[in-house]
Amino acid sequence: AQSVAQPEDQVNVAEGNPLTVKCTYSVSGNPYLFWYVQYPNRGLQFLLKYITGDNLVKGSYGFEAEFNKSQTSFHLKKPSALVSDSALYFCAVRDMGRDDKIIFGKGTRLHILP
Amino acid sequence: KAGVTQTPRYLIKTRGQQVTLSCSPISGHRSVSWYQQTPGQGLQFLFEYFSETQRNKGNFPGRFSGRQFSNSRSEMNVSTLELGDSALYLCASSDGDRINYGYTFGSGTRLTVV
């Protein structure tokens, strides 16, 4: 079965520094990967996706993610963090097994320190 | 274009009661998926409806059920509520395109069972 793991419950980064939120996945076949962000008391917002093509995917709000097939990773990155980036980030993978659905990681809370 | 609307935003119920949550997807979207979000388990997939038919189902007990109407609005019902059902219930709509799978989430219904 497909799965996705976010090894860090929380990441702290100083404002202006680059940030990375880690995600690893396990799939059979070609992966369909996503990143979502959740702000307090809100639903999830789509940031970006990887289906095929370039390994570096650009998304909303200046975020990008790097797909690495050999390391089965899909880390979310941003060159310069903003305090407003503080939120809960979810990595997700499409599970195309018996039930075609999207599976989410447990989330990583990102704190940007002013 | 209106987003995904979930009602009510907050609910408090007593153990043993039943509850119905509503989700109106983005106009034109025929797929509605439901997720349960808790701090310990993250997002757990409940089920997906497409054109009034349940297309996928997660590993939840039969107390959790849903349906979709001809206008794509969906309802989720939980019977015989338990304390552990307290969670944020998120609805996600998509155009049902399984290749270009992207979700738009509602803000959720926060259910508290006392």
Side-chain angles (χ1 to χ4, degrees):
Chain A
Q2 265 69 306
S3 66
V4 61
Q6 295 180 243
E8 302 155 317
D9 290 337
Q10 182 169 310
V11 171
N12 297 323
V13 177
E15 186 178 23
N17 283 2
L19 70 86
T20 299
V21 183
K22 295 179 181 177
C23 172
T24 58
Y25 64 90
S26 173
V27 302
S28 53
N30 294 324
Y32 290 64
L33 299 160
F34 308 85
W35 275 102
Y36 285 81
V37 60
Q38 186 178 34
Y39 297 101
N41 300 315
R42 303 292 300 275
L44 277 68
Q45 295 180 28
F46 172 81
L47 277 179
L48 50 80
K49 67 185 176 190
Y50 173 85
I51 295 177
T52 186
D54 290 339
N55 290 343
L56 187 63
V57 180
K58 294 191 182 297
S60 306
Y61 312 120
F63 283 93
E64 57 190 25
E66 185 171 11
F67 172 68
N68 188 316
K69 188 173 183 177
S70 62
Q71 297 185 3
T72 62
S73 67
F74 189 56
H75 300 333
L76 181 70
K77 300 182 179 184
K78 187 173 182 181
S80 178
L82 300 172
V83 173
S84 58
D85 293 330
S86 297
L88 188 56
Y89 289 81
F90 290 93
C91 182
V93 63
R94 181 179 171 190
D95 180 354
M96 292 184 287
R98 186 176 65 87
D99 299 314
D100 188 354
K101 59 184 180 291
I102 291 185
I103 298 172
F104 288 84
K106 291 191 180 295
T108 297
R109 189 162 297 280
L110 177 63
H111 286 287
I112 307 301
L113 309 171
Chain B
K1 191 173 184 182
V4 179
T5 303
Q6 290 189 246
T7 56
R9 287 296 307 274
Y10 301 93
L11 268 178
I12 300 176
K13 290 286 188 179
T14 304
R15 228 174 357 171
Q17 288 186 312
Q18 67 95 27
V19 66
T20 299
L21 313 181
S22 178
C23 172
S24 293
I26 287 176
S27 178
H29 282 190
R30 292 183 293 165
S31 168
V32 174
S33 297
W34 289 89
Y35 286 83
Q36 180 195 65
Q37 184 180 10
T38 58
Q41 298 297 319
L43 279 95
Q44 302 287 309
F45 174 75
L46 282 154
F47 28 65
E48 180 199 7
Y49 286 86
F50 182 80
S51 294
E52 301 179 66
T53 302
Q54 187 179 84
R55 187 157 72 170
N56 299 305
K57 190 176 187 302
N59 297 321
F60 277 79
R63 300 185 296 107
F64 292 81
S65 64
R67 59 178 175 169
Q68 187 179 33
F69 302 94
S70 59
N71 62 357
S72 292
R73 188 178 71 87
S74 177
E75 287 183 348
M76 189 191 97
N77 185 277
V78 187
S79 62
T80 319
L81 284 165
E82 300 177 0
L83 296 179
D85 297 334
S86 295
L88 180 66
Y89 289 88
L90 292 167
C91 162
S93 84
S94 76
D95 60 9
D97 182 348
R98 288 168 180 255
I99 302 300
N100 202 25
Y101 229 85
Y103 282 160
T104 301
F105 280 84
S107 295
T109 294
R110 184 163 297 281
L111 171 64
T112 303
V113 182
V114 298

